[in-house]
Each structure stands twice: as structure tokens, then as C-alpha cells.
Amino acid sequence: MNQRDFVRTIGGASLGLLFGEERWARYAALPPRRLAQDEPFWATIRRQYRLTPDYINLESGYYTMQAEPVLDAFIRRVREVNLSASRYMRTRQFDDKLAVRRRLAAMAGVPPEELIITRNTTESLDTVIAGFDWHAGDEAVMAAQDYGAMLDQFRLQARRYGMVNRVVSLPLDPRSDEEIVQLYESAITPRTRLLMVCHMVNITGQILPVAKICDLAHGHGVPVMVDGAHAFAHLEFAIPDLRCDYYASSLHKWLGCPLGAGLLWVRRDRIAALWPIFADLGMADDDIRKLNHTGTHPVHTDLAINDAIDFHQRIGIARKEARLRHLQRSWTDQVRGRPGITLNTPSDPARSCAIANVGVAGLTPAELARTLLERYRIWTVAIDSAGVRGVRITPNVFTSTAELDSLVGALRALAG
Ligand SMILES: Cc1ncc(COP(=O)(O)O)c(C=O)c1O
């Protein structure tokens, strides 16, 4: 039995407990896209979460609550670490963390020696950006739609070292992958030393053709750093599929970990050239752990990654991705093209998944978010940057289509 089959069997067995073996066998036989439409199945998954009755939560893009089994396991771990206190920290934490790191690396499809557990995507990507040996005139390529914290970190390097940032602006509905690839190519020069690209743009939900961008950049000798804050445990892929050089994600988003868990993967031959932010001269230059010396840390958060992976793999990434895409389309298909409503998300279903962004004529993004909450009890977030004006709508596996129908009703009423 290979690793994948083994995981599938474990997951199957656990969902068998949840659904009853017979019912589960029927579900397990369904292709993910069919199961994505099976409301009773997803209602059972929904019951694994404790949801507030006060509002409909359509803002999973920032932080996704933990499922109850994950939260319970996390709280048990907090108590265990608290009980043994420094004895735990001096003895068991290293082996326990190593086991989690190995499991996370297996899930990502990379060797554990190339991956560290961080607090979040910001820490991971900023470690890479600030770890470069920048010289005046060096260049980096990125997009206006990238995340603000990383754009700021590049701006900081520009101020400090005189390197230069070249910023492209992504089309929302590209005619083809090549249009995006060419856009990035147009910004590459002989001085380019790093290209940053989002796997999924946070303000629009747009999925970018990362592997093709990596091939292009490598053709020019440029390494690629991927911001996977929203893609890991959301889309079905392994990091090597992307052919990138650096990959980062936040595990409190789509993996459903406690707050403050992330990952950084660096291709083995790229590790030695990075300067750590926190010095640890006990680590060899080509040991990725040199980038991970952040001091005493809430280790129970890292340990709970294990519990979140258990829950995630019980559902299975193919089923989860199919459901998330179905949820998004279930509401966007009802409002696309309606007067007064603008969708700021690609219309091609392959170019987005759970996340979409919508604007209503006559309302600023802030007014729309406020009205949705105050009048319709729907929690979203206003986005007003890089030419994107609307509210971001992010359902999750606990979201029902009935909740999204409420959103559709609200949008139609507001658009008049
Ligand atoms: C695309 C993208 N990158 C990076 C981040 C930063 O994530 P974190 O705050 O978990 O570090 C976010 C947060 O939403 C994001 O959307």
C-alpha cells in the first residue's frame, strides 16, 4: 500500500465512522464533482464546526475557524505542554515538531529537509525577500495584485539597497495562460534576480499559471517565489508540480490550523544563498533550519498541524476543491452579468476556486460590506486596492448553498 492509499484508507475509515460505513461507501464511490453537489454530505461536514448564529461567515480568506475535532485536539495539546512546561520544551518538543514537519512535507510532496514550519506566509516570504543579497540595480518582478506585506518588504529592500521593483498589473480575464506569462516576461531584464507570483490572488481569487511562469522565468535564469497563502489545502497540487524555487503558505487559512501556523519550502540548492533574519550559527549554511530560529514559540500550535491534516485528509483534497469551486459558482452564476453587479473574478471556472469578489454599483466596497453585515447579517471584507473594488466572498466546507442564496438575494436587492 503506498502512502497515498494508506492516507485514503485512514480518511475513509474515519469518515465511515461519521457517516456509517454503508453511506460512506456510496459517497466514496462518487466522483468529487458529483459529491460537491450532495448537500446532506456537506451538512454532515458542517456539523463538525461550531458556527456562530449571529451572522453568515463568508470571510474564510483571512482565517478559517478550526473544526471541532481539531480545536479539541489543540486544546488538549495546550494543556499537555502547559503541564510539563519547560520539561516538555527541553525534551519532547524537538521530536514532536520533527514528526509534524515530516508529515506536512509529505502532504506538500517535498523532502522534510527543504521545509520549515513558520508562523505564516508573511514570515516565510519576508524571510526569503530579506534573505537575498541585494545590490543596487538588482531587480525583482511582482504584480500590483500581490499581497501588501510582501510588496512592502520589496519596497524596503529598494530603500535599503537600491534594488528596483518592476510591477506588472494582472488582467482579470486573460485570453490564455500565455497572456499572463508574456506579461511577466515583459518585466524581466538581465538584472532580474527574483520573480514573485501569487498562486491565488487574494483580492480576486484568480489562480495563476504558476508552472508556466516558472518555466519562463527559469529560461531567463530567474528563480520564482510563490505566494501560496490561499492555495495550500485549497487546490489539489504538490509543490514540485509548480516547478518553483520557493513556496510559502499560511496553514490557518485553508488547512484550518490554529492561528499562527505557516510553511516555507526552499528548493535544496537555493537554501545556502539565503541570509537568515535571526542568527543561528549552529546551523550549516545549507540547512533550512537556519531560517527557523525565531526563539521560544507556542509549540502546541505547530503540533496541531497534525490534527488539522487528519481532518483535511478525511475529507480529501479533491473533494474539498470540487466543493469549494461548486460553492463559488453556485452564487456567482446567479449574479454574473446582472445590471449593477460586477464580478471581479475570472469567469473561466478553472481560474478560480472558493474565493470571488463582487461589487455593487453605487456602493463603495466599505458601504457594501457594512450593508451586507448590518442589513443581511453576512460577514465579508471590503477590498479597494489595485483596481479591485468590491467585497471578497470566501465560503468554506462548512458553508451551505442556502447561505450563498441569501447572499445572492442581498446582492440582487442592493443592485435594484
Ligand atoms: C496572498 C496573500 N499572501 C500573504 C498573506 C499573509 O498571510 P499571513 O497574514 O497569514 O502571513 C495573505 C493574507 O491574507 C494573502 O492573502
Side-chain angles (χ1 to χ4, degrees), residues 120-122 147 150 198 202 227 229-230 250 252-253:
N120 48 52
T121 310
T122 305
Y147 193 67
M150 282 85 241
C198 266
N202 87 92
D227 180 342
H230 285 285
S250 295
H252 43 246
K253 292 189 186 291

Side-chain angles (χ1 to χ4, degrees), residues 120-160:
N120 48 52
T121 310
T122 305
E123 178 182 321
S124 302
L125 294 181
D126 282 5
T127 297
V128 175
I129 300 167
F132 259 61
D133 214 0
W134 296 108
H135 294 102
D138 286 346
E139 293 179 5
V141 173
M142 60 212 69
Q145 292 76 11
D146 286 336
Y147 193 67
M150 282 85 241
L151 293 175
D152 269 359
Q153 181 74 329
F154 274 112
R155 286 183 195 119
L156 192 64
Q157 308 311 305
R159 265 168 61 183
R160 191 168 177 189

Side-chain angles (χ1 to χ4, degrees), residues 141 166 168 180-189 216 220:
V141 173
R166 292 183 165 268
V168 299
I180 306 256
V181 172
Q182 277 165 19
L183 181 67
Y184 280 101
E185 183 164 34
S186 69
I188 293 177
T189 76
L216 164 269
H220 291 270

